[in-house]
Amino acid sequence: MKDSQARTIYLKDYQAPDYLVDHTDLSFELDPHATLVKSKLKIRRNPAVAQANETLPPLWLDGADLELLSVSINGELLPAHRYQQRAGGLSLSTDAPEFELEVHTRIAPEANTSLEGLYLSNGMYCTQCEAEGFRKITFYPDRPDVMSVFTTTIVAPASYPVLLSNGNKVDSGTTEDGRLRVTWEDPFAKPSYLFALVAGDLQHVEDSFTTCSGREVKLQLFTEARNIGKCAHAMTSLKHSMRWDEEVYGREYDLDIFMIVAVDHFNMGAMENKGLNIFNSACVLASPETATDAAFQRIESIVAHEYFHNWSGNRVTCRDWFQLSLKEGFTVFRDAEFSADMNSRAVKRIEDVTLLRTSQFAEDAGPMSHPVRPDSYMEISNFYTLTVYEKGAEVVRMIHTILGPEAFRRGSDLYFERHDGCAVTCEDFVAAMEDANGADLKQFRRWYSQAGTPVLDVEDTYNEALGEYSLTIRQQTPETPGQKGKLPLHIPITVGLLAEDGSPLRLDDAAGQMEVVLHLTEASQNFTFAGIASRPLPSLLRGFSAPVKLRYDYSSAQLQFLMQHDTDPFNRWDACQRLSINSLQTLQQQYRSGEALQQPAALIEGYAAVLDDAALDPALVAKMLALPSAQEIAEQGGEIDAAAIIAARTFARDAIATALAERFLTRYHALEQHKPYSPTAEDIAERSLKNTCLFYLCAAGSADALALAKGQFERGENMTDTAAALAALVEFGTETQAEGFLQAFYQQWQQDTQVVETWFGLQSGSAKFGTLERVQKLIAHPAFEVKNPNKVRAVIAGFAMRNFTQFHRADGSGYTFLADQVIALDKLNPQIAARLVTPLTRWKKYRAQESAQIHAALQKISVSGELSRDLYEVVSKSLEQD
């Protein structure tokens, strides 16, 4: 497992750069095998670290996989003794505090399978420089606190008519030998990770946006000709994002042009490069025939996220990679609020919290557990995590809750004003919030440095004689790797109280508030409410006001009451989840003890009440009717018994389906849509509930239900309904039926990359026995491409990360399969390999047999040879649990 380059980098060791780069002039002569890169850098000694009469330190330039051709200072070629090339970069001595450095390098984009730096994607040149990809383009101080103004000239054969980079186009023409030449200039200083270049035979759609100050901005979305009809939704989403950012945050776009490029081969969802956002095709291209509702909403959210980065990430960037959540946590919060305003706020919150509970909480409790701002890392790409992004967003949300919307806006205004054009820290963000409002968030800062998911235990008492209701809340954060003795956090807990008739109680007569925010700052605190005429039922942690696990001993009857009466839609859903978890835990106990599984009566009654409530938003009903995933059930604490979880969940699903079949059928027919597709919140809600009903109907095993699914599949009015019907037919039809429908679907859509990825995912996610064998065949399918991260995510990750039932096969073959795939992928794309290994990292959490099998799979990876830094860090930390 040895990695000779593996070393730990610590936040405490941060030092400001010795040199700054005021201007970067880049020239590219593109060639698949031998691209020539010339860089001219205007460099000066950093005055913040310079000392009088000092001997100038060497200049260090990061570099990887580069062929060095020449190095010059102020126009003079340097002799060999003036510089030294070694692993990781180039060191050169200098005798002047200011100089112009010119470096010529050669790179091979076609051979770059890591998809970092400059590489070829389906014949298109593309870059990905965050976090440390720029060093694969040229030797450079590749760190976020070195900010420079960039000018980029691209020279390419005429077969690449579109040549793009950051900023505004300032020149174009042809060379003497007939090649195309374009020069771009970005007037805003930026770190190297925000550099971008694209070259290809592309088409584009164009629109414009008039900013709040009256400037007209050109908007362009580039893609291959075959996808040009799938750009309208992304363009609309971009314009909505630009308007929303002006209205909610006062942020106006600053360049003359904003461009988006869709790329098939991309490790991430998208990248916020200044003025030239590069997107994974799956995150920007959509049409009703080829993309599901979830894809439409994901595209809207990601387009907004990358656009919002123009201020929260580009104009104000992070000082070092430990501060990654400074830009990502803040921007995820911003895009979540945007999506909530564009769609159903309750459903958006439910989706975000579900991701936290199923995956981020697991990360908090695993070997890679780290704070929102990590203290150390071996490979920075491993810290593009749910903790940095999603928990980071929850930390920002808590500040918003503590201060209130108006105060939060004052804080963000000060933050952008104070730090525009700077590379700053998480403390700078919090300080702006404090200074703008005279607030004290000193204790709150612990959220940035303390890992783990806090657990809240809540007890209540009621004094009838005094009319006082009291809540006692205790907090504790479990120990995590490298962190013991956790300190109390400042946790905002939004609370409401319900009367016996279900009406909300007024908790603040002066303000007429039906809910209040309790500020838990001690290990244990008591909160008392006066003037309460009878014992209320608490509605706790409304809107999921903090990323914590909450324990309060609700009875089944109380949970059903909250499901029907709570005025907070998130807590109505959460009560349903809690009722489901309680029923599933009972079924697991019955399974382990060998008893016959019993109908979950309380759960069926609760679901029936939800189905019968015509006043509820259909989108919320669909969410409430969805059983907790196996992954979420596994995170409820204690040893994970995969077989018991699978048995309990399958039994509960079938019992609900059978008991409520008539209700599901009635709602299904009431929601059938035979109208033009629209991705509006209302239509998406109706399709969501309709397809939830269809899934349960098919689970009940009725031939009539399968006929409904067959009819919906064959009508094919939109991809949402088609894919939902196909999923039900694959899951509940016979093997012969499933194969027939899958082949019909593939024959129709085999020319469409995104739809084929949907087809892959439907198969890899099937809970049917035999899915592993099907997945192994899919890897050999002509449409599968191991160098394409989207295909890998659809097939391999779809099986290992989203198919709990078949990944945890009793013979351990699922674990062995994943280990083999990770070993192979590490040679091609270390980032993807390191992310894929995640399901194996929590081996100690499982019962003995599964734990041993998962551990063996990890060991297989560890002895397979020298691993990349990315994979080495994850595997070594996972095995440290021995």
Side-chain angles (χ1 to χ4, degrees):
M1 185 171 66
K2 180 182 177 183
D3 180 346
S4 59
Q5 292 185 319
R7 65 186 182 93
T8 301
I9 300 169
Y10 295 94
L11 170 61
K12 63 182 176 61
D13 293 335
Y14 170 81
Q15 292 182 336
D18 290 323
Y19 294 91
L20 302 177
V21 182
D22 291 325
H23 190 271
T24 299
D25 191 330
L26 296 172
S27 174
F28 292 82
E29 295 182 23
L30 297 179
D31 180 276
H33 312 291
T35 289
L36 179 62
V37 183
K38 300 177 182 178
S39 70
K40 292 181 181 179
L41 312 179
K42 291 185 178 179
I43 297 176
R44 62 185 168 92
R45 184 76 166 105
N46 185 355
V49 298
Q51 300 177 15
N53 302 317
E54 68 174 345
T55 300
L56 291 173
L59 170 67
W60 173 256
L61 303 172
D62 299 294
D65 303 328
L66 303 173
E67 180 186 352
L68 179 62
L69 302 178
S70 66
V71 182
S72 301
I73 287 185
N74 296 331
E76 293 187 10
L77 199 65
L78 284 191
H81 72 270
R82 289 281 303 278
Y83 61 88
Q84 180 182 12
Q85 185 177 359
R86 58 179 188 263
L90 182 69
S91 177
L92 58 90
S93 58
T94 176
D95 54 7
E98 293 188 30
F99 54 93
E100 182 176 272
L101 173 71
E102 184 167 351
V103 179
H104 293 187
T105 56
R106 187 180 289 126
I107 55 178
E110 191 171 58
N112 184 0
T113 62
S114 71
L115 309 187
E116 296 178 279
L118 177 67
Y119 61 92
L120 274 171
S121 169
N122 285 355
M124 172 171 42
Y125 289 92
C126 179
T127 57
Q128 171 56 33
C129 295
E130 186 177 0
E132 296 178 341
F134 193 79
R135 64 191 61 189
K136 292 190 173 185
I137 294 174
T138 186
F139 290 99
Y140 197 85
D142 188 14
R143 46 188 291 171
D145 55 355
V146 175
M147 302 178 71
S148 178
V149 173
F150 278 70
T151 300
T152 304
T153 298
I154 310 168
V155 177
S159 54
Y160 295 91
V162 175
L163 305 175
L164 308 175
S165 193
N166 310 89
N168 300 314
K169 185 189 291 187
V170 294
D171 190 25
S172 63
T174 57
T175 63
E176 291 182 357
D177 59 0
R179 291 180 296 167
L180 301 180
R181 175 185 49 78
V182 176
T183 299
W184 294 81
E185 186 174 81
D186 185 355
F188 295 95
K190 65 176 179 286
S192 56
Y193 83 84
L194 290 172
F195 171 78
L197 180 152
V198 170
D201 185 5
L202 304 172
Q203 292 189 9
H204 73 275
V205 295
E206 187 170 309
D207 206 331
S208 64
F209 178 83
T210 303
T211 70
C212 55
S213 68
R215 289 189 308 106
E216 186 168 294
V217 178
K218 182 188 295 185
L219 309 178
Q220 293 181 325
L221 201 164
F222 292 84
T223 185
E224 295 168 90
R226 62 188 170 85
N227 290 321
I228 201 67
K230 298 181 181 180
C231 300
H233 178 64
M235 185 64 79
T236 299
S237 300
L238 174 59
K239 294 170 74 173
H240 288 167
S241 305
M242 297 175 81
R243 182 65 64 212
W244 187 89
D245 209 20
E246 289 183 346
E247 293 174 350
V248 178
Y249 281 89
R251 299 297 106 194
E252 181 178 356
Y253 187 62
D254 46 16
L255 290 169
D256 300 332
I257 187 171
F258 185 90
M259 298 172 287
I260 290 174
V261 180
V263 179
D264 281 347
H265 294 65
F266 207 64
N267 282 338
M268 301 183 180
M271 180 61 209
E272 70 269 18
N273 317 294
K274 183 71 180 180
L276 177 58
N277 286 188
I278 299 178
F279 272 67
N280 187 315
S281 296
C283 297
V284 72
L285 301 175
S287 68
E289 299 80 18
T290 62
T292 63
D293 289 337
F296 270 86
Q297 291 184 317
R298 182 175 66 252
I299 287 166
E300 180 180 63
S301 173
I302 295 175
V303 167
H305 180 96
E306 304 309 330
Y307 173 74
F308 296 155
H309 265 314
N310 187 60
W311 278 92
S312 52
N314 295 3
R315 289 284 289 262
V316 183
T317 194
C318 46
R319 184 194 73 178
D320 53 73
W321 291 121
F322 296 101
Q323 319 297 330
L324 180 58
S325 195
L326 174 79
K327 71 182 185 78
E328 296 301 347
F330 187 18
T331 306
V332 170
F333 171 71
R334 275 152 52 73
D335 84 55
E337 287 296 289
F338 166 78
S339 295
D341 284 346
M342 296 295 109
N343 301 283
S344 165
R345 178 165 288 272
V347 169
K348 174 58 179 170
R349 192 67 188 130
I350 288 166
E351 290 171 348
D352 290 347
V353 173
T354 298
L355 180 61
L356 280 165
R357 287 177 170 173
T358 55
S359 301
Q360 194 282 315
F361 283 6
E363 193 168 272
D364 260 350
M368 292 292 288
S369 176
H370 58 276
V372 168
R373 184 187 57 204
D375 298 318
S376 65
Y377 63 80
M378 289 183 189
E379 173 52 56
I380 184 55
S381 63
N382 286 335
F383 282 94
Y384 282 74
T385 63
L386 292 169
T387 299
V388 167
Y389 279 66
E390 307 302 330
K391 187 174 181 178
E394 294 300 310
V395 170
V396 175
R397 183 178 294 277
M398 285 189 287
I399 296 175
H400 188 276
T401 299
I402 291 168
L403 297 179
E406 293 181 2
F408 185 87
R409 170 62 190 272
R410 286 194 295 271
S412 69
D413 284 348
L414 179 60
Y415 171 70
F416 291 127
E417 177 187 348
R418 180 183 282 177
H419 301 298
D420 188 9
C422 299
V424 297
T425 67
C426 295
E427 285 89 352
D428 292 318
F429 176 78
V430 178
M433 291 292 165
E434 290 177 315
D435 295 346
N437 298 289
D440 181 2
L441 297 172
K442 182 178 179 181
Q443 182 182 0
F444 183 84
R445 283 176 167 83
R446 291 174 185 168
W447 279 101
Y448 284 98
S449 58
Q450 196 159 279
T453 304
V455 179
L456 304 187
D457 288 290
V458 182
E459 296 177 353
D460 61 349
T461 57
Y462 177 65
N463 188 319
E464 186 174 5
L466 298 177
E468 290 182 346
Y469 176 74
S470 297
L471 291 170
T472 299
I473 308 178
R474 300 178 180 86
Q475 64 164 298
Q476 60 174 1
T477 303
E479 291 185 356
T480 54
Q483 283 194 343
K484 298 182 179 181
K486 303 297 177 75
L487 298 171
L489 297 163
H490 180 177
I491 304 176
I493 306 167
T494 305
V495 172
L497 301 177
L498 301 183
E500 292 177 347
D501 63 356
S503 61
L505 297 177
R506 183 171 295 174
L507 302 179
D508 185 331
D509 288 333
Q513 292 176 304
M514 300 301 183
E515 65 178 26
V516 295
V517 177
L518 307 179
H519 295 274
L520 180 66
T521 57
E522 304 295 334
S524 178
Q525 277 177 259
N526 184 265
F527 303 91
T528 299
F529 303 88
I532 306 298
S534 60
R535 187 182 187 95
L537 182 63
S539 171
L540 302 168
L541 203 67
R542 289 160 74 88
F544 201 68
S545 59
V548 300
K549 293 181 179 180
L550 186 139
R551 298 192 296 214
Y552 176 86
D553 192 18
Y554 286 111
S555 67
S556 293
Q558 288 174 323
L559 291 171
Q560 290 184 51
F561 187 85
L562 289 171
M563 287 169 62
Q564 296 176 38
H565 298 289
D566 202 326
T567 54
D568 180 68
F570 173 85
N571 269 17
R572 290 185 79 159
W573 168 81
D574 195 45
C576 191
Q577 288 289 102
R578 290 174 183 272
L579 185 63
S580 301
I581 291 291
N582 291 348
S583 298
L584 290 164
Q585 287 177 333
T586 299
L587 289 170
Q588 287 181 71
Q589 291 169 3
Q590 294 169 356
Y591 176 85
R592 281 191 288 266
S593 63
E595 303 174 38
L597 303 188
Q598 302 295 314
Q599 289 268 25
L603 185 58
I604 292 172
E605 290 172 12
Y607 275 29
V610 170
L611 268 171
D612 290 343
D613 190 342
L616 269 182
D617 173 10
L620 181 59
V621 174
K623 291 295 182 186
M624 293 176 75
L625 293 175
L627 282 169
S629 68
Q631 289 90 338
E632 187 169 357
I633 298 166
E635 291 309 312
Q636 295 307 305
E639 183 179 76
I640 298 174
D641 184 341
I645 290 172
I646 294 163
R649 194 175 183 278
T650 302
F651 180 85
R653 180 200 68 195
D654 294 348
I656 293 164
T658 302
L660 303 179
E662 290 186 12
R663 285 181 168 91
F664 284 125
L665 185 61
T666 299
R667 287 304 289 267
Y668 176 84
H669 285 307
L671 291 163
E672 281 186 289
Q673 298 175 343
H674 300 292
K675 58 183 179 181
Y677 177 89
S678 174
T680 62
E682 180 182 358
D683 282 5
I684 288 174
E686 291 181 356
R687 282 190 291 270
S688 177
L689 180 53
K690 178 189 70 174
N691 288 320
T692 297
C693 292
L694 180 64
F695 188 82
Y696 273 113
L697 285 167
C698 291
S702 161
D704 291 341
L706 289 172
L708 280 179
K710 179 176 180 291
Q712 181 171 307
F713 173 79
E714 291 175 342
R715 284 193 300 274
E717 293 174 327
N718 58 74
M719 184 51 68
T720 302
D721 286 345
T722 300
L726 181 57
L729 291 165
V730 169
E731 202 62 42
F732 302 111
T734 66
E735 192 65 32
T736 301
Q737 289 172 328
E739 189 62 33
F741 289 117
L742 284 167
Q743 286 306 312
F745 185 87
Y746 181 76
Q747 288 301 317
Q748 181 177 359
W749 295 109
Q750 59 184 306
Q751 301 304 321
D752 192 294
T753 300
Q754 276 88 33
V755 181
V756 170
E757 287 160 8
T758 299
W759 181 75
F760 279 142
L762 285 170
Q763 296 174 80
S764 65
S766 173
K768 278 187 174 179
F769 189 81
T771 294
L772 175 56
E773 289 73 18
R774 180 178 286 274
V775 166
Q776 289 168 329
K777 291 179 182 178
L778 289 177
I779 290 174
H781 193 280
F784 182 80
E785 185 184 356
V786 73
K787 293 180 181 180
N788 185 322
N790 286 351
K791 301 288 197 304
V792 171
R793 282 187 278 260
V795 177
I796 302 172
F799 174 75
M801 294 180 164
R802 294 185 290 277
N803 192 340
F804 189 92
T805 301
Q806 289 306 313
F807 179 62
H808 293 286
R809 278 169 50 156
D811 62 1
S813 55
Y815 314 139
T816 303
F817 166 78
L818 180 59
D820 291 339
Q821 300 307 311
V822 167
I823 291 167
L825 278 162
D826 194 42
K827 305 296 187 292
L828 297 172
N829 191 325
Q831 281 191 27
I832 297 299
R835 290 169 190 167
L836 273 179
V837 81
T838 300
L840 303 177
T841 60
R842 300 188 66 212
W843 57 274
K844 288 200 79 171
K845 190 88 162 109
Y846 289 83
R847 63 177 184 158
Q849 178 181 340
E850 291 154 348
S851 178
Q853 291 169 335
I854 299 171
H855 183 266
L858 270 177
Q859 288 282 16
K860 183 176 186 178
I861 296 170
S862 74
V863 300
S864 65
E866 187 163 313
L867 306 183
S868 68
R869 286 188 305 172
D870 309 62
L871 187 58
Y872 175 87
E873 178 175 22
V874 179
V875 172
S876 63
K877 287 184 176 179
S878 300
L879 290 174
E880 281 174 6
Q881 298 176 96
D882 284 347

